Structures are given as C-alpha cells and as structure tokens.
Amino acid sequence: MFNEDPERPSPTDPNRRTADYFMEEFTLTLMDQEGLPLYRLEGTHMVHYPATDTVEVTAPHAVFYHQVVPRWEVVAERGLTNSQGDEIYLLGEVVIRQFGADAKTNKMKILTQDVRVEPRAEYAETNQPVTLLNNLGKTHAVGAQVYLKEERIELLSQVRGDYEPAPRP
C-alpha cells in the first residue's frame, strides 16, 4: 500500500532545495513500442533535486491511453517521483476519472487523497478514504487498488454505498 518513501528528504533538508533543472507548463508523453501513447503527464511546474533524484510536480495531470483512446485521467494537487518516473506519489486531493465515449457516458470518478501510481503497470493505490461516483450511485470505502488497464477497482475496507436503480424505459 501507499507509504511515504523513506528516502524522501524532510522539508528542512538543505539538499532538498538545490535544484539542477526545472520546467514550467510541461507535457511528457510515454510511448509504447509501436509509437502509440501509453500515458501523458502535464503539470504547471516541475523541479528536479539531484541530491535525492526526486522530481516534484505541481498540479500533475496524467491521461492513460488504450491504443490512442484516452481511458483514464488522474489529477492531483502535487506529485513526487524519481527521474525515471516508475512510481509517482500524488499528494493532496486526487481525482481519478474513467472516460466513456463522450461526457454523457463517462463511467466513474474516484475522489481520494495520497495515491501511489505505477504508470507503466497502469496501477494506482491508496489507503485513504475513497468516494467512488458512477451512474448507479455513490460508494465510500477506505483504501483502493485501481487496475486501469483492466478497468477494475478493489475497495479494501469499510465499504458502504447508496445506489439508485436505473430508470425503466
């Protein structure tokens, strides 16, 4: 489950503030072997700290694709990762949204905090309270594992929900 990285420097660590590069309003796209996008990461600000090989991102916004079709979106207040980006810690308020064919058919939205994402595995997890919203109602839980590629979500504990039956034609 999500644990803060023990190698992560404390806010008072003097090495934490020695950056070797930064970017404003950036977009990074990771492609598969056929040249199709796997995911795209955007943010308003990114800074790299070489002493810890950490990258801090302000307002990260990631979109995960299947072929060329956007399938999931993940938005957070801030993010933290290493320069390889193999694990991303999304900190603060996080929204995970599954796309449908259009705005009317978007499938679900997950509201939570502090999410660990493995972008290449298309996997996300949190041990924080979760609210899942979809066209059937609202579900609350503590902790979730989200398998983006499989379009599967496991709610881990204290699951309760309010459901509304679909209207009959």
Side-chain angles (χ1 to χ4, degrees):
M1 284 308 304
F2 177 87
N3 288 317
E4 296 240 2
D5 186 348
E7 299 297 316
R8 184 174 160 191
S10 73
T12 58
D13 183 346
N15 292 327
R16 184 174 190 264
R17 292 292 145 207
T18 305
D20 61 345
Y21 66 86
F22 72 93
M23 288 188 260
E24 303 285 338
E25 304 296 332
F26 71 92
T27 301
L28 171 132
T29 304
L30 180 69
M31 311 297 262
D32 68 12
Q33 295 195 2
E34 287 81 41
L36 299 174
L38 288 174
Y39 74 91
R40 184 184 74 234
L41 175 65
E42 299 175 352
T44 59
H45 184 78
M46 178 183 77
V47 62
H48 178 257
Y49 299 103
T52 57
D53 191 29
T54 56
V55 176
E56 291 184 6
V57 179
T58 304
H61 175 206
V63 176
F64 292 86
Y65 294 86
H66 177 68
Q67 301 296 324
V68 294
V69 179
R71 302 301 295 173
W72 292 86
E73 169 183 63
V74 181
V75 180
E77 292 178 32
R78 58 193 182 94
L80 182 68
T81 187
N82 60 21
S83 61
Q84 289 77 41
D86 47 7
E87 279 190 335
I88 301 171
Y89 294 90
L90 299 173
L91 306 171
E93 299 294 323
V94 179
V95 177
I96 302 171
R97 185 167 60 107
Q98 183 183 28
F99 293 119
D102 56 46
K104 287 184 175 182
T105 61
N106 283 341
K107 297 183 180 183
M108 72 180 75
K109 183 188 288 188
I110 302 167
L111 309 172
T112 190
Q113 295 184 348
D114 300 342
V115 174
R116 185 180 73 85
V117 178
E118 296 175 20
R120 291 182 194 273
E122 298 182 49
Y123 172 78
E125 67 181 11
T126 184
N127 58 10
Q128 298 297 310
V130 173
T131 300
L132 187 145
L133 306 167
N134 63 19
N135 59 357
L136 299 175
K138 185 185 299 186
T139 304
H140 300 279
V142 175
Q145 295 175 329
V146 183
Y147 300 86
L148 303 171
K149 190 173 189 175
E150 300 170 26
E151 299 187 351
R152 179 171 57 98
I153 299 170
E154 291 184 20
L155 301 174
L156 301 180
S157 68
Q158 300 178 36
V159 179
R160 62 191 189 290
D162 299 314
Y163 299 97
E164 298 178 18
R168 292 187 171 188

